[in-house]
Amino acid sequence: MAESATPFQPLVCVVDFHHARGPEIEHWIGAEGRDPAAENGWHLILPFTAFPDGAHQSEEEFSYFSLVHKAHGGEDVEPTSVFGISCCHQIDANALLWKSADVTRSAVQKSVVAITDRPQSFSALREKLSVVTRAWFAQRDFRELEVLERVVTDDARPQQFQANLAKGRMDQEDERDQYFGLGLRELVHTFKWQTLVLFKCLLLQPKMLFFGSHCERVCQVQFTLISLIPGLIRNLRDCADPAMNHYAETLRKPDSVRTSDRSSLLAYLGLPLQLFGTGSVFGPYTPLQSLDVLTDLDTKSYVVGSTNSLLVQQKDRYCDILTDLDENVVTISSPSLRAAATLSAADRRWIDFLTQAVNDTWDDADPSRPNTHGYAGSEEFIRLQFEEYLLALLSSEKYHRYLATHNDGAPKALLADVEGDPSSEYAPAFLDAWRETENYKLWNRTTDSHLFDIVEPRHPNAGGLTIEDVQRRLAAQIAELHLDKRLADGRTQVTSAFNRVWADIGEAQRKRSEEARGAEAMSPHSDNEKGTFSTSASHHGRLQKPDLQQAQASVSAASQRAGAYLSSWGTWAAEKRKGGWSAGGRAIPRTSTEIARSDERPRVTAVSDLGQEDVHEASGADGGEHKTESMNETRCKDAA
């Protein structure tokens, strides 16, 4: 973000929720008699961003938002974007030591708001704001503002809270982006391959809406996503208003590069991509009072968050892509965007490897770091993987344009170790849509045409679909649907069925032996008749022994039924997946008829029932084999 003539000084204010008038600004801390809200026109926006919808349901809630700063110190300056973070608390009215006449409800809600022009310092700012707000509420007397005006610094000297925020801002100026302590691992673990879909959609500059009941998570997911564009968080000067375009107007094409300096290298490659310029808005939390900005004809794209379900009910009107963080579902309503965001085989292979690295090191007790405490699967690992992907994309696109101007095929004009057009690995539909965006046009105009001489123009996981890709996706789907556990239960039932088969065979042999002995005991006493009967009985006993062929047929029938049982599990899983599964593994609600049909389980038939179904055994076996073959074909098609 370019520096203005006068550095912006952080502001602090208190917003009260009045039971009749709604949220309103109550105090400005350290404003020296000025009213920044009146100077910048914040009266209708700031109070509602400080109290997000549903904040009363939590003991502590945070919201992040952007504002247009028009003036400072009574002098007109060039408009720029500033960023606010509010910490909302509530307390039982009966617990207060002093209550004003306006307190008529059972609870009192207030927010402490800090406004800065450095969103990369939000991590430290959030912690300071939380501590100060808790201490102020612990006094139980809101007339005492000293805790908001003066805090104790590390050297044990009192200092204004506002000045302390400015000091922390300067101390962190030379440090790398803190990224707010955001959960990049959680994002990949939750949305898996859809994380790359969100990233590519971000480059296409559609209307993106993030919804959830927890405001802080809604805001942090958006900051996490845009932080994957190197340097973008430090260059959000124009994001609060679609009319701002200072960055594009002042950007110049670099004429030199220091490859040993990462910042110089990224700038030479055209980063950060300017996603928020003319016609674009970034509002981590956007109240309903700002809908006029979203529906304005000059607003072509935005990334905004909301906790109000009214926007979700009218998602076709307000967004091209909706990310529901309560259900962990990504819904693309625009057909053109859906086609452009389709991942190529190389894309899917790349994000699958990244997801596997996160899942293999996942720790439920501490999701923010790998359970191995190593580099693989860490936040820095994921961020650098996305940086490599983006740089390879930029280089491949420049090489694509170079090939278009050297279509004579002269070997000396082409790179010897690059075969064909590497940009095709990123999906042609995506590239066609990206070339129409404002950020692409600005990047292409202000970067060198031979970027591929610095970064190799090759997809990190180039190549077509392989059998390993299919196997990996099947394994991931089985793990996601927990089919390994369900099939294990099925194997247990099949084993029990086989055990019952042999137990029934043994019981039949025992009964027939007893019948033969009983018949021999009741035979006539004459020797001749006895001998004849004994011989006949003995012969009869041998004929009545269990027929091995019949026993084998019974076992075969049970095997076929077991196969049909396992096949039905696969069919049920396929129906579940086709019916729609969320990224987090939860099914999208369906009709009661579909649920009843999908939850049906095959019945394991005991040997005692086999005799009653002998007529149908052959057809049942054929049906089981047909179902198994059909399921195998379905799995292969779905995996592909």
Side-chain angles (χ1 to χ4, degrees):
M1 184 181 297
E3 294 290 342
S4 58
T6 304
F8 180 84
Q9 295 298 321
L11 299 171
V12 179
C13 70
V14 175
V15 179
D16 174 64
F17 190 88
H18 192 276
H19 70 280
R21 299 188 295 267
E24 55 187 10
I25 300 175
E26 194 173 36
H27 304 288
W28 282 101
I29 309 298
E32 300 177 354
R34 298 183 297 112
D35 187 356
E39 294 173 353
N40 296 280
W42 293 344
H43 276 302
L44 297 179
I45 299 298
L46 179 56
F48 292 95
T49 55
F51 276 102
D53 295 323
H56 62 280
Q57 300 177 1
S58 304
E59 179 182 352
E60 182 181 59
E61 182 64 285
F62 291 88
S63 69
Y64 305 74
F65 49 90
S66 59
L67 299 168
V68 178
H69 181 247
K70 300 178 180 178
H72 177 74
E75 299 179 358
D76 291 336
V77 297
E78 185 177 1
T80 185
S81 300
V82 293
F83 303 87
I85 175 173
S86 74
C87 180
C88 177
H89 272 256
Q90 60 182 337
I91 187 174
D92 193 332
N94 295 327
L96 295 175
L97 300 179
W98 177 85
K99 293 189 295 184
S100 66
D102 292 335
V103 178
T104 59
R105 294 190 176 183
S106 59
V108 176
Q109 288 181 285
K110 292 182 183 293
S111 286
V112 179
V113 181
I115 302 174
T116 178
D117 64 339
R118 303 286 174 175
Q120 63 266 26
S121 63
F122 267 4
S123 178
L125 181 56
R126 178 195 181 281
E127 298 304 320
K128 292 180 180 179
L129 196 62
S130 177
V131 171
V132 170
T133 305
R134 288 178 179 272
W136 187 45
F137 268 73
Q139 294 180 148
R140 296 186 296 167
D141 188 345
F142 294 123
R143 295 174 300 177
E144 299 293 335
L145 300 177
E146 184 177 1
V147 68
L148 299 180
E149 297 172 347
R150 304 177 70 83
V151 297
V152 178
T153 60
D154 295 337
D155 53 7
R157 291 182 301 176
Q159 188 181 62
Q160 284 190 349
F161 179 46
Q162 179 191 18
N164 183 259
L165 295 180
K167 178 178 181 296
R169 166 182 176 269
M170 298 305 298
D171 290 344
Q172 297 180 10
E173 184 66 25
D174 296 332
E175 297 181 4
R176 292 188 302 174
D177 291 348
Q178 299 299 308
Y179 301 114
F180 323 105
L182 299 181
L184 187 53
R185 279 173 52 82
E186 290 91 327
L187 182 67
V188 176
H189 180 74
T190 301
F191 290 100
K192 302 177 177 60
W193 59 271
Q194 289 182 320
T195 306
L196 184 56
V197 172
L198 291 173
F199 179 76
K200 298 184 77 170
C201 284
L202 183 66
L203 299 181
L204 299 180
Q205 293 183 276
K207 295 180 178 180
M208 301 183 70
L209 173 62
F210 290 80
F211 168 79
S213 55
H214 184 26
C215 183
E216 184 176 22
R217 183 173 183 239
V218 171
C219 299
Q220 286 185 339
V221 167
Q222 296 172 71
F223 273 113
T224 300
L225 187 61
I226 69 170
S227 72
L228 295 176
I229 308 292
L232 181 58
I233 288 181
R234 292 181 177 271
N235 292 272
L236 293 174
R237 175 189 179 116
D238 303 324
C239 75
D241 191 285
M244 294 181 179
N245 200 31
H246 179 270
Y247 182 87
E249 294 172 353
T250 58
L251 184 63
R252 297 293 180 265
K253 185 177 180 178
D255 54 4
S256 63
V257 59
R258 297 188 304 275
T259 56
S260 59
D261 185 350
R262 181 173 179 271
S263 298
S264 175
L265 178 60
L266 293 179
Y268 187 78
L269 294 173
L271 295 176
L273 297 175
Q274 187 59 12
L275 301 182
F276 305 107
T278 300
S280 299
V281 174
F282 174 48
Y285 174 70
T286 303
L288 295 180
Q289 287 72 20
S290 298
L291 287 184
D292 58 328
V293 177
L294 304 184
T295 56
D296 192 275
L297 295 178
D298 293 333
T299 304
K300 306 301 182 182
S301 67
Y302 49 72
V303 177
V304 297
S306 177
T307 57
N308 196 307
S309 60
L310 292 178
L311 293 181
V312 178
Q313 296 172 9
Q314 303 182 42
K315 60 183 179 181
D316 294 337
R317 176 184 178 187
Y318 288 109
C319 66
D320 299 319
I321 174 173
L322 168 67
T323 304
D324 190 334
L325 298 177
D326 288 342
E327 300 294 334
N328 293 331
V329 175
V330 178
T331 304
I332 302 179
S333 55
S334 170
S336 59
L337 180 61
R338 188 184 306 115
T342 301
L343 302 182
S344 65
D347 283 341
R348 186 61 189 266
R349 184 185 306 115
W350 180 83
I351 191 61
D352 283 346
F353 280 128
L354 187 59
T355 302
Q356 184 177 358
V358 174
N359 291 340
D360 290 345
T361 60
W362 186 254
D363 185 1
D364 290 327
D366 187 7
S368 63
R369 65 180 63 186
N371 54 12
T372 60
H373 299 285
Y375 174 70
S378 64
E379 299 263 336
E380 188 67 16
F381 170 81
I382 300 172
R383 202 172 299 282
L384 289 180
Q385 293 297 315
F386 270 96
E387 180 176 312
E388 178 190 15
Y389 178 92
L390 181 58
L391 294 181
L393 168 63
L394 300 180
S395 179
S396 299
E397 174 59 19
K398 284 294 185 179
Y399 191 66
H400 167 80
R401 299 182 65 86
Y402 177 79
L403 291 176
T405 58
H406 296 76
N407 52 11
D408 53 356
K412 294 183 179 180
L414 304 179
L415 296 180
D417 56 345
V418 177
E419 182 179 353
D421 185 358
S423 67
S424 60
E425 298 284 359
Y426 293 90
F430 164 76
L431 294 175
D432 291 340
W434 182 42
R435 292 170 187 140
E436 300 298 324
T437 63
E438 293 299 324
N439 76 84
Y440 176 89
K441 296 175 182 177
L442 177 63
W443 167 79
N444 188 52
R445 186 174 67 249
T446 58
T447 52
D448 189 88
S449 60
H450 284 64
L451 294 183
F452 50 84
D453 290 335
I454 299 178
V455 178
E456 183 182 15
R458 188 189 304 276
H459 194 290
N461 288 87
L465 185 66
T466 64
I467 188 61
E468 288 79 8
D469 297 330
V470 176
Q471 292 173 346
R472 184 172 55 256
R473 294 181 195 178
L474 286 176
Q477 291 175 359
I478 289 176
E480 182 178 349
L481 302 178
H482 304 288
L483 290 182
D484 50 346
K485 298 179 181 178
R486 292 167 179 163
L487 291 177
D489 295 339
R491 286 192 295 268
T492 301
Q493 296 186 27
V494 171
T495 302
S496 300
F498 277 117
N499 292 337
R500 285 196 294 269
V501 168
W502 292 112
D504 290 344
I505 292 175
E507 181 66 17
Q509 290 176 338
R510 186 185 62 81
K511 290 183 178 180
R512 286 166 181 164
S513 298
E514 291 180 353
E515 291 175 357
R517 287 195 298 269
E520 183 179 359
M522 296 175 61
S523 62
H525 296 287
S526 62
D527 293 340
N528 191 17
E529 292 180 354
K530 180 177 179 180
T532 302
F533 184 82
S534 297
T535 303
S536 176
S538 176
H539 179 68
H540 177 74
R542 286 193 302 270
L543 294 177
Q544 294 300 320
K545 289 182 179 180
D547 190 348
L548 293 180
Q549 294 182 352
Q550 182 179 0
Q552 291 175 355
S554 300
V555 173
S556 177
S559 299
Q560 292 167 356
R561 295 180 185 278
Y565 180 85
L566 294 178
S567 298
S568 66
W569 273 112
T571 304
W572 173 82
E575 291 178 354
K576 283 281 189 177
R577 189 183 61 77
K578 291 180 180 179
W581 286 76
S582 65
R586 289 177 289 176
I588 299 176
R590 298 165 292 167
T591 62
S592 58
T593 304
E594 291 175 336
I595 294 175
R597 183 168 63 250
S598 64
D599 288 340
E600 290 179 356
R601 300 291 186 272
R603 182 175 64 87
V604 178
T605 306
V607 172
S608 58
D609 299 329
L610 294 177
Q612 301 175 4
E613 300 178 0
D614 290 338
V615 179
H616 305 287
E617 283 180 357
S619 61
D622 294 339
E625 294 174 358
H626 175 72
K627 187 182 295 184
T628 303
E629 295 175 358
S630 176
M631 184 56 205
N632 290 334
E633 295 176 359
T634 303
R635 286 181 174 173
C636 292
K637 290 180 181 179
D638 290 343

